Amino acid sequence: MNSPGITVIALLMASVAFPAAAQQATATSAAQVTMPTDGTRPPAQGVRANATTLPPGPITFPPALSPAPRPPALPATAKRAVKLAGTARNRPAMPRADADGYVRFAFGATQPTVVCAPSRICVVSLEAGEVITGGRDAKDLGNFTLSDTVNWSVTPTFSGAGKQLVTQLSIRPTQPNLQATLVVPTQRRLYSITLRSTSSSWMPLVAFDYPGDQPKRMAASYRQQIVAAMAAPAGGGSISDISFGFNVEGEAPWRPTAVITDGTRTVIAFPASVSSSALPVLVGLGNDDGWFSEPSQQVINSQILPGNRMLVDGVLSRAALVSGVGDDQIAVKITRSAD
């Protein structure tokens, strides 16, 4: 049995301890926050004077983004088209260096790649007389498409005048190790050019060789070679009188690379790969052919010169180069035309 003294002491301790426990329980319950079930924000508890408070109302979260559905596999026709496009784009058609410092790509033979550097400017020249179109209508001219307009700068400029006006594109990247695609539409053709950037390598001048230019270029290369053949006989014209005004029709291993006249004589140049013993016979064609008849032929005297060249004393009007007989005969027609 407890003594009266002990009972009194216990009562005094309880009267002191209970208020402290009650205060701690009250503080704990005040620190707890119960989220409402109606979507509204709970009332602020113990908010400081300088604290940011949110306006009352429901909390709205952005909708979850679902990934785009994966497309079906490419059909066989698309796979074939992609393969063909890659083959055409990566054809190993090598560029050539011109005497004027240009690197020239054969247009349409491959996807040209122009290499530039951040501290340099690459200039791509189009064909003389060619202008950029690409507008939505005839009044809106000079538009091209660049896949990366942030890191690449392309500015059209012009040089020359009249028929010799040349459109040029000045290209510069902002940094190395970049790649982009430049598409340039003109009134003659569509260019698709790959742009690459390096730290120091660059191509200052770029241009193109176009289909149909090669025979003219090869003919021009014969100008100096045929000076002696043109100037040797008395009464011959000068090198400045040389004309390339001939149409050549037909295909053969020895098809002429150039037909040239100075107004007095004619020189026919053949590929260097053809043996001189395999060169054809030159015949003149009469004007007596009709719907059901071939023109008459007459052998034209000619002289074979070094370098697979044939010299004719006269200007050809209508002629043919013939090799073989019967069904195996091959003929290439040469017709005089305006230069």
Side-chain angles (χ1 to χ4, degrees):
M1 175 178 289
N2 296 331
S3 63
I6 295 175
T7 302
V8 172
I9 293 173
L11 290 175
L12 291 175
M13 292 179 64
S15 64
V16 174
F18 283 161
Q23 291 176 4
Q24 182 176 2
T26 304
T28 302
S29 63
Q32 294 176 351
V33 177
T34 303
M35 294 294 294
T37 59
D38 59 354
T40 60
R41 292 180 177 83
Q45 300 290 337
V47 179
R48 297 189 304 272
N50 58 349
T52 302
T53 58
L54 295 176
I59 300 174
T60 304
F61 294 95
L65 297 178
S66 58
R70 187 172 183 177
L74 292 175
T77 53
K79 291 181 179 179
R80 174 63 176 169
V82 170
K83 184 177 180 180
L84 292 175
T87 301
R89 184 177 61 251
N90 299 319
R91 277 195 294 256
M94 293 293 115
R96 68 178 184 89
D98 223 344
D100 53 5
Y102 277 86
V103 172
R104 292 185 176 271
F105 291 93
F107 179 83
T110 186
Q111 175 90 4
T113 298
V114 176
V115 181
C116 302
S119 59
R120 307 287 187 174
I121 294 179
C122 298
V123 177
V124 177
S125 296
L126 308 184
E127 189 179 24
E130 192 172 17
V131 295
I132 301 174
T133 55
R136 296 181 179 87
D137 54 54
K139 298 179 181 179
D140 185 16
L141 303 178
N143 293 307
F144 53 85
T145 302
L146 183 60
S147 63
D148 184 355
T149 58
V150 175
N151 296 306
W152 291 87
S153 171
V154 179
T155 304
T157 57
F158 300 95
S159 65
K163 294 182 179 180
Q164 298 304 315
L165 182 69
V166 177
T167 300
Q168 296 166 325
L169 300 171
S170 297
I171 304 172
R172 183 170 61 182
T174 59
Q175 59 187 3
N177 303 320
L178 298 175
Q179 179 169 327
T181 301
L182 174 64
V183 178
V184 183
T186 73
Q187 85 279 25
R188 297 177 184 172
R189 54 185 64 89
L190 179 68
Y191 296 83
S192 179
I193 304 171
T194 298
L195 303 180
R196 295 286 299 271
S197 67
T198 67
S199 58
S200 58
S201 300
W202 63 300
M203 300 159 59
L205 299 174
V206 178
F208 297 88
D209 289 326
Y210 301 96
D213 285 352
Q214 184 175 10
K216 295 180 181 179
R217 187 175 66 253
M218 295 182 68
S221 69
Y222 282 102
R223 283 182 181 268
Q224 297 302 325
Q225 298 182 33
I226 66 174
V227 170
M230 289 295 193
S238 66
I239 188 67
S240 61
D241 298 326
I242 291 179
S243 170
F244 304 93
F246 293 92
N247 292 326
V248 179
E249 303 175 17
E251 296 297 331
W254 38 258
R255 189 181 192 272
T257 56
V259 181
I260 309 168
T261 183
D262 65 349
T264 303
R265 292 141 300 163
T266 304
V267 171
I268 303 173
F270 297 94
S273 59
V274 179
S275 172
S276 58
S277 61
L279 295 180
V281 176
L282 180 65
V283 298
L285 302 178
N287 295 318
D288 53 354
D289 54 327
W291 286 100
F292 304 102
S293 62
E294 296 292 332
S296 59
Q297 299 183 2
Q298 183 178 2
V299 176
I300 298 177
N301 292 328
S302 60
Q303 178 184 356
I304 301 300
L305 303 175
N308 275 11
R309 290 170 291 146
M310 180 182 291
L311 174 63
V312 180
D313 189 11
V315 179
L316 298 179
S317 175
R318 192 180 185 210
L321 293 164
V322 182
S323 69
V325 294
D327 294 338
D328 296 329
Q329 187 177 82
I330 301 175
V332 172
K333 187 177 179 181
I334 300 174
T335 308
R336 187 82 166 97
S337 64
D339 216 356

